[in-house]
Amino acid sequence: MVPVFGPQIPTVTVSEISDETYLLDVREDDEWTAGHAPGAHHLPMMELPARLAEVPTDRDVAVICRSGGRSAQVVAYLLRNGWEQVSNVAGGMGDWAAAGRQVVGSDGQPGRVL
C-alpha cells in the first residue's frame, strides 16, 4: 500500500469483517439513509472529534465510507488519539455491496450505496 495518508493505514477487506467487529460508518447522513451495512454505527467524519467517546477502544473497529478515502483519514486520526484495534475497510461500501453483503436503507428496505 502506498502511504498516501502518512504512515501505513491498517486495512481489512470486507470478507475479514466479522459480526463481532464494530463497524463505524463515517459517511454523511444522506449516504447513510440511502444504504448502510446492518449493525453498523453511524458517526459522520466531521462529528468524530466531538463524539470520540462513542468509539470503543476494547474491540476491533473497522471504519467504512463510500470508497475508503474518508475512512482512511478517520483511522489515522483514531490511531493518533490512542486507538490500537482500528482498520480501514478497503473499497468501502462499494466493495461491501459488490461482495454481496447486505445494504439496508434507514427505512429497513433494501438500500443502495451513494
Side-chain angles (χ1 to χ4, degrees):
M1 176 175 167
V2 178
V4 175
F5 299 102
Q8 186 166 343
I9 300 298
T11 302
V12 294
T13 63
V14 169
S15 63
E16 293 174 302
I17 298 172
S18 72
D19 290 340
E20 291 77 42
T21 303
Y22 186 93
L23 186 60
L24 179 64
D25 190 323
V26 297
R27 296 175 302 146
E28 296 300 318
D29 291 337
D30 62 328
E31 294 172 290
W32 169 265
T33 299
H36 55 270
H41 303 269
H42 186 220
L43 178 56
M45 182 172 122
M46 299 311 291
E47 296 178 23
L48 182 68
R51 297 174 58 188
L52 267 178
E54 296 177 34
V55 183
T57 57
D58 61 347
R59 63 193 275 204
D60 288 335
V61 175
V63 185
I64 196 166
C65 66
R66 182 173 44 90
S67 61
R70 286 173 285 180
S71 52
Q73 293 176 57
V74 168
V75 168
Y77 181 83
L78 291 171
L79 289 169
R80 285 193 309 270
N81 283 277
W83 272 256
E84 296 175 357
Q85 297 173 255
V86 61
S87 301
N88 185 32
V89 179
M93 284 300 297
D95 277 14
W96 181 274
R101 302 285 293 258
Q102 188 177 8
V103 178
V104 296
S106 289
D107 59 3
Q109 297 299 310
R112 60 191 174 91
V113 177
L114 291 185

